[in-house]
Amino acid sequence: MSRRAGVLIGFALAVVAAAGIAWVYRLEILLEIVEIRLHDDVAPNRRIEWDSGADPAGRSEAERPPNIVVILADDLGWNDLSWLGGGVAGGTVPTPNIDSLAREGVHFANGYAANGTCAPSRAALMTGRYATRFGFEFTPTPASFSTMVPLLGNRRPGTLRTTIIEDAGSSIAYDDMGVPPSEITLAELLADAGYHSVHIGKWHLGLSGGMAPHDQGFDESLLMASGLYLPEDHPDVVNSKQDFDGIDRFLWRAMQFSASFNGGPKFEPGGYLTDYYTDEAVRVIEANADRPFFLYLAHWAVHTPLQALKADYDALSHIEEHRLRVYAAMVRSLDRSVGRVLAALRENGLEDNTLVFLTSDNGAPGYIGLPRVNQPFRGWKISFFEGGIHVPFFLKWPARLEGGQTFEAPVHGFDIFSTAAAAAGVELPRDRTIDGVDLVPFVEGVAAGVPHERLFWRSGGYEVVLADGYKLQVSDPPGKTWLFHLASDPTEQRNLAAAAPERVAALKQLLAEHNAEQAPPLWPSAVVSPINIDKTLLDPDAPDDEFIYWFN
């Protein structure tokens, strides 16, 4: 063999070896690329000088309309609260501040999120409409997320049904997926009554083309630019990584510790994210004590990545399981946040004339591997089973509503829009359908009937209707229909579909009529993912397990 031939053969073998190594480690290589692409320069923390001022209409305190505070948790499970005897770690992590909203306000026992995932749910809350009315059907995700998460998830041991990548190469950029400027947000509506509106935290409703919060009616916006609660190596943080979860692996590589203000450059938040947002919310309340304001405090907690403040983690030494302890510490910090916001209202003389809403964008996910977060309900975030959409829902307004009430009829996230508008004395838009209703007359017993005769949820081939106490779910794939009577079976254990074909047909007709009023999606679904209804990601699939398929 000539020396030249030997060199060529050696080079070819090296190329083959490199290709083999690249194939073996292809996911890690892709994750590295994701980290490089999604990480930006982040400046040091900067102090925000919140705007302050008097009521532009010159009204006295007694004449001013009520302030409105909406606290939206992310992925908060029904069983995360100690209200009604629940709570994390067998009820050993009390949530007294959130519970106080029920004791001193109204607990909506059948409060529903608008969707099983964050962004469509938030779009409905912010507009008072089914998000599908304006094409916001699927959850906006970066193209890298839609490619990587299925690859990571499909490699999980015990997976019998794999995620299908539909349109990971969409020409629509992530920042362009959001609520169109033609929609009227709650902040825009309240501006007509002289409200100063402030957004703090998560948005996920678009950032370009007039869709950012400071372009959609908010006078000021402290945006969650990325989602680490603290830098991973910070001495005050305790981390829990779930290697069995593709979403978690992606987030740890893609996320940074960063915020931005009114569309400006990114900077580091001034502390553990939940506490930082709370610090700034308190300052907003103080700055606006002399004029009507709308504060939308959209927490990232208790969404993954699981990161707890070390002080909270240390306070829960009785919890042995590390992941559960980190999660419990995050719930503890969220409850502390609510307590500090309520205290700020009280200390500034604003408690009586402020509506405080608290709810979650959806239920807790199965991908964190904690089986009891949504008990007693079945299912997880992403699904429309009760565990995915039946959420904590509270309203406190001491000047108007007697505390300690429980309201049983179903209510919905978009009712916050209409309830707040009515309290502010603002007329609802007349040029479009508004699906939300003012809940106050129903709580007071003034309005007849119930707020909603029927409610709907839709994500691609997964559709649900709740009417007359019956809930129909249709998922295609896998071509499955479930019918439950929630009054007698609130945990959805007995599927009545085969025994009640006429009711199934009637409810499907309601779905068809509702769908005829909805708009086509503004962007395509990127993936179709199987979601095991009854198992977390830690549990291997079995052939007879029940699944829905989620179109993101």
Side-chain angles (χ1 to χ4, degrees), residues 259-272:
S260 68
F261 183 70
N262 282 358
K266 294 181 180 181
F267 58 88
E268 288 194 349
Y272 180 73

Side-chain angles (χ1 to χ4, degrees), residues 249-300:
R249 293 183 64 187
F250 178 88
L251 292 180
W252 279 106
R253 301 299 283 271
M255 291 283 187
Q256 291 178 283
F257 182 56
S258 67
S260 68
F261 183 70
N262 282 358
K266 294 181 180 181
F267 58 88
E268 288 194 349
Y272 180 73
L273 204 60
T274 306
D275 288 337
Y276 171 64
Y277 289 160
T278 307
D279 292 341
E280 298 305 319
V282 169
R283 294 181 61 220
V284 165
I285 291 169
E286 293 169 347
N288 290 277
D290 296 325
R291 61 182 173 186
F293 65 87
F294 165 39
L295 170 61
Y296 176 42
L297 177 53
H299 272 299
W300 183 225

Side-chain angles (χ1 to χ4, degrees), residues 444-459:
E444 293 179 323
V446 175
V450 295
H452 302 283
E453 295 291 341
R454 57 198 62 156
L455 290 169
F456 300 89
W457 293 264
R458 188 180 85 183
S459 181

Side-chain angles (χ1 to χ4, degrees), residues 112-122 136-137 139 361-363 382-384 388-389 412 457-459 550:
Y112 284 96
N115 202 281
T117 54
C118 46
S121 183
R122 292 160 189 268
F136 200 127
E137 184 159 354
T139 301
D361 59 353
N362 44 250
I382 300 176
S383 83
F384 299 146
I389 55 175
H412 190 280
W457 293 264
R458 188 180 85 183
S459 181
W550 170 61

Side-chain angles (χ1 to χ4, degrees), residues 2-19:
S2 69
R3 186 171 184 276
R4 175 182 172 80
V7 169
L8 290 174
I9 291 172
F11 177 75
L13 290 173
V15 169
V16 171

Side-chain angles (χ1 to χ4, degrees), residues 128-461:
R129 289 152 52 84
Y130 286 109
T132 46
R133 287 199 184 278
F134 48 91
F136 200 127
E137 184 159 354
F138 305 123
T139 301
T141 53
S144 52
F145 178 95
S146 304
T147 302
M148 288 300 305
V149 171
L151 291 174
L152 292 164
N154 290 343
R155 295 182 66 196
R156 182 177 61 87
T159 300
L160 296 184
R161 298 160 180 84
T162 58
T163 295
I164 305 164
I165 300 176
E166 280 200 316
D167 192 74
S170 174
S171 60
I172 302 176
Y174 173 66
D175 287 355
D176 296 336
M177 301 178 186
V179 173
S182 57
E183 289 298 310
I184 300 172
T185 69
L186 180 55
E188 290 172 320
L189 194 67
L190 293 175
D192 294 337
Y195 278 74
H196 185 81
S197 293
V198 178
H199 156 259
I200 295 177
K202 184 173 177 177
W203 182 241
H204 208 173
L205 300 179
L207 292 175
S208 63
M211 294 186 292
H214 58 277
D215 294 322
Q216 292 273 44
F218 287 96
D219 300 289
E220 299 173 287
S221 169
L222 174 58
L223 177 72
M224 185 186 85
S226 195
L228 290 186
Y229 292 83
L230 275 174
E232 183 180 343
D233 58 355
H234 195 283
D236 293 334
V237 76
V238 180
N239 305 307
S240 175
K241 294 185 177 182
Q242 285 61 254
D243 290 338
F244 55 84
D245 173 30
I247 294 175
D248 197 65
R249 293 183 64 187
F250 178 88
L251 292 180
W252 279 106
R253 301 299 283 271
M255 291 283 187
Q256 291 178 283
F257 182 56
S258 67
S260 68
F261 183 70
N262 282 358
K266 294 181 180 181
F267 58 88
E268 288 194 349
Y272 180 73
L273 204 60
T274 306
D275 288 337
Y276 171 64
Y277 289 160
T278 307
D279 292 341
E280 298 305 319
V282 169
R283 294 181 61 220
V284 165
I285 291 169
E286 293 169 347
N288 290 277
D290 296 325
R291 61 182 173 186
F293 65 87
F294 165 39
L295 170 61
Y296 176 42
L297 177 53
H299 272 299
W300 183 225
V302 289
H303 197 291
T304 53
L306 298 187
Q307 292 185 285
L309 197 64
K310 188 175 185 301
D312 289 319
Y313 184 85
D314 290 345
L316 302 176
S317 58
H318 66 283
I319 301 176
E320 295 183 1
E321 183 184 349
H322 175 69
R323 182 172 60 256
L324 178 61
R325 186 172 168 184
V326 172
Y327 184 80
M330 296 174 72
V331 172
R332 188 174 192 261
S333 69
L334 177 65
D335 184 72
R336 179 172 61 250
S337 169
V338 173
R340 291 185 59 207
V341 169
L342 296 177
L345 293 171
R346 184 168 56 251
E347 291 162 5
N348 286 274
L350 304 173
E351 180 179 27
D352 285 348
N353 200 33
T354 299
L355 281 79
V356 178
F357 296 92
L358 184 141
T359 189
S360 181
D361 59 353
N362 44 250
Y367 55 71
I368 57 176
L370 299 174
R372 290 177 289 277
V373 284
N374 292 325
Q375 283 185 343
F377 298 123
R378 187 182 182 195
W380 315 103
K381 168 189 177 176
I382 300 176
S383 83
F384 299 146
F385 274 76
E386 294 291 282
I389 55 175
H390 194 148
V391 293
F393 201 122
F394 306 104
L395 166 60
K396 179 183 175 182
W397 187 12
R400 180 75 180 268
L401 296 175
E402 181 181 350
Q405 299 187 64
T406 297
F407 187 81
E408 296 288 348
V411 301
H412 190 280
F414 51 41
D415 293 329
I416 291 174
F417 180 96
S418 298
T419 304
V426 180
E427 286 191 9
L428 296 176
R430 297 183 178 180
D431 62 343
R432 64 199 66 201
T433 299
I434 299 296
D435 298 295
V437 302
D438 178 11
L439 297 177
V440 170
F442 291 95
V443 173
E444 293 179 323
V446 175
V450 295
H452 302 283
E453 295 291 341
R454 57 198 62 156
L455 290 169
F456 300 89
W457 293 264
R458 188 180 85 183
S459 181

